[in-house]
Amino acid sequence: MPAAQRGIADRVLGGADKGLPSDAAGLTVAEFLTREPRLADLWTPLVVLDDSVLDDNIAFLAGWVAARGLELMPHGKTTMAPQLWHRQLDAGATGITVANPSQLRVAVDAGIPAIMLANQLVQPGAIRWTADVVARGTRVWSWVDDVAGIEAIERALGPVERPLEVLVDVGRPGGRTGARSLTAAVAVAERAAASPAVRLAGITGYEGSVAHGRGAEALASAGAYIDELLAVHDAVGPLYDDGDVLVSAGGSAYPDVVGTAFAAASVGGDGARFVLRSGAYIVHDHGYYRQNSPFEGSGLRPAARGVARVVSRLDADTAIVDAGKRDFPYDEGLPTPLYAITSDGERMPLPGAETTKLSDQHGFVRIGADSPLAMGDLVVFGLSHPCTMLDKWRLVPVVDSVEDLEAAIVTDLVETRF
């Protein structure tokens, strides 16, 4: 979707927009894109998105969820890019998930009509602001895992005409958030159902906090957790009113486990809306999710690349590039060198190349001592973990294909709002 249709066409570019060439300063986004800038003319380091892969990833998961009679409210924290959120909604997502009140404000300002806040509202000002947003017509669900959370909302609001809708968060001892037992979850649900300030609207949780990896033990743990979640939903069934009810889970590592259980539970069930929140799928990656997503190689492809320039070759077996922790994600694996582009625009393979370290502004790439990689050449990287990939960038250039970066034209800019 062109930037002009998502509200940033008139945004004026400046020196703080990392990666854009100096002659872009003072132009609007629309004016800059009209020039059909070549990716090669942008300054490094860069993170680049592939427009067609984004579309394919969005369409794939939308179809997968719909085929099972489920819904998708993808986690917007992955990109914090309203342009991309609207593309997800256009493809069938029924809402967007956010992680905190500040992100909720971004989603409201972006005109997202249905928003899940995957967290507990406790700050009085944020509670009152959310109530005002709800009163003006935006649908918001937040989470509660303790009676104290409901009491915090009651203190901030008192009785209201439109109570805030809450989902009971189900967890495990020693985990992240979430009521620690069936008994505790039911107690929270009972308190919510009796409250004049909130409406009990369903059950939620996050299986990724109890399982890691794709081994048999992890899959079994994720499955057992979803069984516990559904048991809570059944137990609190008599407490629901006549409004719609949501049952939500499903990050990007175990959507297959969650989707299978949810699809089975929805058959002949009570009419609840079963909602997945997978968010990383839109970008996918060359690292963490390539190893952990069930859809790697069967539906999702990495949509992002990192591009950095060699700035030093003083050690025979190492190239220093101009991208570091300020530019590329590193918390779930270091960037993977894929190939180089020489100063003549030719593609150069980098057999056996490995990123060994990132400092703040530099990357260390181990290469063969006889490698012809030279100062000024570009190195193209595969990146790991979409959730820490785009937060370092205000504007991310988009091209038609990351498979041909040597000749790529920038067709759009995606604005992030972290």
Side-chain angles (χ1 to χ4, degrees):
M1 183 69 68
Q5 298 184 45
R6 291 304 186 201
I8 71 163
D10 295 331
R11 182 192 189 284
V12 178
L13 303 174
D17 294 315
K18 186 170 66 172
L20 299 186
S22 59
D23 60 3
L27 299 177
T28 66
V29 169
E31 291 168 341
F32 176 69
L33 295 176
T34 299
R35 295 183 171 190
E36 297 187 341
R38 296 174 64 245
L39 186 72
D41 295 330
L42 272 59
W43 293 8
T44 54
L46 293 168
V47 167
V48 185
L49 293 172
D50 185 313
D51 196 52
S52 61
V53 175
L54 290 173
D55 269 346
D56 288 348
N57 289 348
I58 291 170
F60 169 77
L61 196 59
W64 189 91
V65 168
R68 287 154 179 79
L70 309 175
E71 297 183 35
L72 177 65
M73 294 186 184
H75 216 317
K77 72 174 175 67
T78 300
T79 63
M80 285 305 296
Q83 289 163 263
L84 300 182
W85 296 350
H86 280 286
R87 286 170 69 161
Q88 292 168 301
L89 292 174
D90 291 345
T94 53
I96 295 295
T97 299
V98 295
N100 57 46
S102 294
Q103 293 180 6
L104 176 62
R105 189 164 54 191
V106 172
V108 170
D109 289 346
I112 305 301
I115 309 163
M116 185 182 299
L117 173 59
N119 218 324
Q120 192 156 229
L121 271 171
V122 296
Q123 205 278 336
I127 293 170
R128 289 190 289 269
W129 177 85
T130 302
D132 183 60
V133 165
V134 169
R136 288 185 276 117
T138 300
R139 193 97 186 256
V140 178
W141 298 266
S142 62
W143 294 10
V144 291
D145 68 358
D146 193 331
V147 168
I150 299 169
E151 292 173 343
I153 294 174
E154 291 173 341
R155 286 194 299 272
L157 298 182
V160 289
E161 185 174 339
R162 293 191 63 177
L164 296 186
E165 297 186 280
V166 297
L167 309 179
V168 176
D169 180 14
V170 178
R172 280 183 176 172
R176 197 171 65 178
T177 60
R180 291 333 204 205
S181 67
L182 173 62
T183 300
V186 171
V188 175
E190 289 173 340
R191 184 66 173 79
S195 173
V198 305
R199 171 185 174 254
L200 176 62
I203 303 296
T204 190
Y206 177 49
E207 73 289 346
S209 65
V210 303
H212 305 281
R214 292 291 298 180
E217 183 177 348
L219 294 174
S221 181
Y225 172 78
I226 298 303
D227 290 342
E228 295 168 12
L229 190 75
L230 294 172
V232 174
H233 171 60
D234 290 341
V236 305
L239 299 173
Y240 294 135
D241 60 19
D242 294 334
D244 59 355
V245 171
L246 273 60
V247 180
S248 176
S252 295
Y254 306 103
D256 53 335
V257 175
V258 177
T260 298
F262 277 9
S266 69
V267 176
D270 54 11
R273 298 168 56 186
F274 288 86
V275 180
L276 272 69
R277 302 188 307 273
S278 309
Y281 78 97
I282 186 172
V283 176
H284 199 48
D285 70 6
H286 279 90
Y288 181 80
Y289 284 109
R290 170 165 279 186
Q291 296 169 6
N292 290 288
S293 171
F295 304 131
E296 162 61 28
S298 63
L300 299 180
R301 292 180 289 150
R305 300 290 188 276
V307 183
R309 195 174 301 276
V310 177
V311 293
S312 178
R313 273 297 321 262
L314 295 181
D315 295 325
D317 64 347
T318 300
I320 307 298
V321 300
D322 60 355
K325 294 177 181 179
R326 307 287 190 185
D327 313 297
F328 293 166
Y330 59 91
D331 59 316
E332 292 286 358
L334 295 177
T336 302
L338 301 176
Y339 61 90
I341 301 173
T342 70
S343 56
D344 296 327
E346 299 295 324
R347 183 173 296 209
M348 177 196 305
L350 294 174
E354 178 187 9
T355 302
T356 58
K357 183 172 70 170
L358 293 182
S359 57
D360 284 352
Q361 309 289 174
H362 296 88
F364 295 70
V365 182
R366 180 183 293 129
I367 54 178
D370 58 351
S371 172
L373 189 67
M375 183 185 296
D377 291 344
L378 298 176
V379 178
V380 178
F381 293 87
L383 305 174
S384 178
H385 200 201
C387 295
T388 55
M389 191 179 293
L390 303 184
D391 58 324
K392 301 156 180 63
W393 298 87
R394 295 185 181 187
L395 289 172
V396 184
V398 179
V399 297
D400 282 336
S401 174
V402 291
E403 300 301 332
D404 187 22
L405 292 179
E406 298 93 320
I409 301 295
V410 178
T411 60
D412 204 355
L413 296 173
V414 166
E415 182 181 53
T416 67
R417 297 182 184 174
F418 286 96

